[in-house]
């Protein structure tokens, strides 16, 4: 049997389910096809479970430091199974929430593997979606006017270093650890690698990070990378940069060992387990792209700024199109695509306004251009920097490391980028995001009254510092 829809969304991750809700709000008859669980990577393998584990690690570390706050905690014991069950409870609660939202929006959810068909008896155009139902029931045929592909991504591996789920882990495997290893080598010092390094170190694991680029977090502002490396090293994490892992050198025994080449020399790194965090690849296979004219560029689906593929009624959003692989990017792309389908004339997304967060300890967050990028664009820049050391609330928290840095244009006075590292900056970055959206100048941010004592005062002070007018430093 074939069922007609205005819109069928392939993949019910953050991008897909948010797009479905917007479509239902705009009156489109909508279906979502999901082969695993609604919520996708972010809810089940990414943002939420990793942040739940990070929060437990933070509580454990803070409890061990309680004496500094005048609180005597005689024995701090980590019960990792409870850490994992707390994580799962949070995920389950949010999963139920997403299922409820689908019902509320009268969105049909098909549990199964979706595949796009070419022209068929159902439609002269490619786009009919055949669903191989998880229940084993006969395939469902969905005949939509429009399709959104939101099939997301999966961990990338290196040849010779494929995760085995036991000793060589992907981030998916690491989330399911039943016991903490004594030691781990993390290959890749990007966002995911650094969050895991920080978390496992806080849990008491001996952590080594091996990064190919000259610095960890290579896409962040160089000052942020440098500060993060210093802070993590101070916590006891070994960080090796500019090191090329030699996959053929992998040896599995009681421990895992790997060799990496750095400055012409070969070094060996051994640990109980290894985590491979070297990026994510798009899920473009097995979804019927060969039945369409849709193009793949560098492994990702190519789209225009409204997320239309070469088949103008088939859109693609989220991790499967590459770029910034973030949940809030996927959902905004999804909403833009749906509004375009519904003739709402949305603005195309400005990716320079997307905040990026790293939930390690210390946290880091940024929006807009790094100092290096601004200079590479030929901008005449001015920079304001303000340390948390001079912020009363940071002292109260007992977390005074880090700073807020604002990069502005000397000629136009535009804020080009804001970069932060320190306590709670992943929550504070939204103010910088708003300042960018409203095209505020550093002076305007400096005039904004920041309540005292708060960590947000560091933003106001950094804005004043752009023109040499910071008060407390
Ligand atoms: C460890 C980790 C931590 C992260 N932390 C953050 C964070 O803190 N903040 C942040 O913004 N981002 C974070 N991310 C990234 C974020 O999870 C992704 O950017 C986001 O999930 C992308 O959403 P999506 O909808 O494009 O894809 P996904 O969430 O991957 O969803 C795709 C869905 O499509 C389904 N699917 C695939 N193929 C088919 C098919 N043929 N038929 C039916 N269904 C199909 C999949 O089962 C999946 O549910 C993290 C990622 C990881 C791995």
């Amino acid at each position: 049997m074939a069922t007609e829809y205005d819109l069928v969304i392939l993949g019910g991750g953050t991008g897909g389910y948010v797009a479905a809700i917007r479509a239902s709000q705009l009156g489109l008859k909508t279906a979502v096809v999901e082969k695993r669980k609604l919520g996708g990577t972010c809810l089940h393998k990414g943002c939420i479970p990793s942040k739940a584990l990070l929060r437990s690690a933070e509580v454990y570390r803070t409890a061990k430091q309680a004496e500094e706050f005048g609180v005597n905690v005689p024995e701090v014991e980590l019960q990792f199974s409870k850490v994992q069950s707390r994580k799962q409870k949070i995920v389950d609660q949010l999963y139920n929430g997403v299922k409820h939202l689908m019902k509320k929006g009268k969105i049909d959810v098909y549990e199964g593997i979706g595949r796009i068909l070419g022209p068929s008896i159902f439609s002269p155009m490619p786009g009919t979606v055949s669903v191989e139902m998880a229940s084993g029931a006969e395939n469902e045929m969905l005949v939509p006017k429009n399709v959104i592909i939101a099939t997301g991504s999966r961990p990338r591996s290196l040849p010779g270093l494929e995760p085995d789920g036991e000793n060589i882990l992907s981030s998916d495997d690491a989330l399911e650890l039943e016991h903490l290893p004594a030691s781990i080598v993390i290959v890749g010092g990007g966002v995911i690698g650094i969050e895991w390094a920080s978390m496992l170190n806080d849990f008491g694991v001996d952590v080594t990070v091996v990064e190919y680029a000259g610095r960890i977090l290579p896409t962040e502002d160089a000052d942020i990378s440098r500060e993060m490396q210093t802070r993590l090293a101070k916590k006891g994490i070994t960080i090796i940069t500019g090191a090329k892992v030699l996959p053929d050198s992998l040896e599995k025994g009681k421990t895992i060992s790997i060799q990496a080449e750095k400055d012409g020399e070969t070094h060996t790194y051994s640990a109980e387990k290894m985590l491979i965090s070297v990026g994510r690849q798009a899920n473009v296979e097995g979804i019927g792209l060969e039945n369409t004219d849709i193009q793949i560029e560098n492994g990702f689906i190519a789209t225009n700024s409204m997320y239309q593929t070469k088949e103008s009624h088939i859109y693609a959003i989220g991790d499967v199109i590459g770029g910034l692989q973030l949940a809030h990017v996927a959902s905004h792309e999804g909403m833009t695509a749906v509004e375009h389908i519904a003739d709402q004339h949305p603005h195309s997304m400005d990716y320079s306004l997307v905040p990026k967060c790293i939930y390690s300890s210390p946290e880091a967050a940024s929006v807009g251009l790094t100092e290096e990028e601004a200079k590479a664009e030929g901008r005449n820049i001015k920079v304001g920097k303000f340390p948390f050391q001079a912020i009363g609330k940071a002292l109260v928290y007992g977390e005074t490391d880090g700073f807020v840095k604002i990069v502005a244009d000397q000629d136009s006075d535009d804020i080009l980028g804001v970069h932060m590292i320190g306590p709670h900056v992943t929550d504070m970055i939204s103010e910088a995001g708003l300042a960018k959206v409203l095209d505020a100048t550093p002076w305007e941010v400096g005039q904004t009254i920041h309540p005292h004592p708060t960590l947000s005062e560091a933003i106001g002070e950094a804005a004043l510092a752009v023109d040499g007018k910071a008060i407390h430093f």
Side-chain angles (χ1 to χ4, degrees), residues 54-65 76:
L54 276 156
R55 171 72 178 134
S56 287
E58 181 188 21
V59 171
Y60 182 53
R61 171 173 40 85
T62 308
K64 286 195 289 186
Q65 295 166 345
V76 183

Side-chain angles (χ1 to χ4, degrees), residues 228-244:
M228 182 67 85
Q229 178 150 350
T230 307
R231 295 293 140 226
L232 295 185
K234 208 172 152 197
K235 283 164 64 134
I237 298 174
T238 305
I239 298 178
I240 320 288
T241 53
K244 186 177 178 207

Side-chain angles (χ1 to χ4, degrees), residues 125-203:
M125 305 219 289
T128 296
V129 175
S130 158
V131 188
E132 189 186 323
M133 298 298 287
S135 62
E138 200 179 321
N139 280 16
E140 294 276 353
M141 288 295 165
L142 316 181
V143 187
K145 293 194 183 96
N146 294 279
V147 177
I148 295 181
I149 301 172
T151 47
S153 65
R154 61 185 185 278
R156 191 191 295 280
S157 66
L158 291 173
L161 281 183
E162 287 81 10
D164 58 14
E166 268 296 305
N167 298 313
I168 304 180
L169 310 175
S170 67
S171 63
D172 289 3
D173 304 321
L175 283 170
E176 305 308 325
L177 278 173
E178 287 175 14
H179 306 284
L180 286 166
S183 57
I184 193 160
V185 170
I186 299 179
V187 178
V191 176
I192 293 176
I194 291 306
E195 288 187 357
W196 275 99
S198 167
M199 176 218 299
L200 291 173
N201 167 268
D202 281 346
F203 278 140

Side-chain angles (χ1 to χ4, degrees), residues 10-16 33-37 39-42 45-47 50-51 112-114 150-153 171-172 175 192 195-196 280 283 286-287 317-320 325-328 330 359:
L10 203 53
T14 317
V33 183
E34 172 52 54
K35 70 174 178 184
R36 289 199 191 94
K37 284 181 164 180
T41 305
C42 178
K45 307 272 180 207
C47 328
S50 64
K51 267 82 247 181
I113 301 173
T151 47
S153 65
S171 63
D172 289 3
L175 283 170
I192 293 176
E195 288 187 357
W196 275 99
R280 298 185 56 87
N283 293 327
I287 54 174
I317 56 131
D319 279 12
V320 77
Q325 291 180 307
L326 292 168
H328 42 290
Y359 298 82

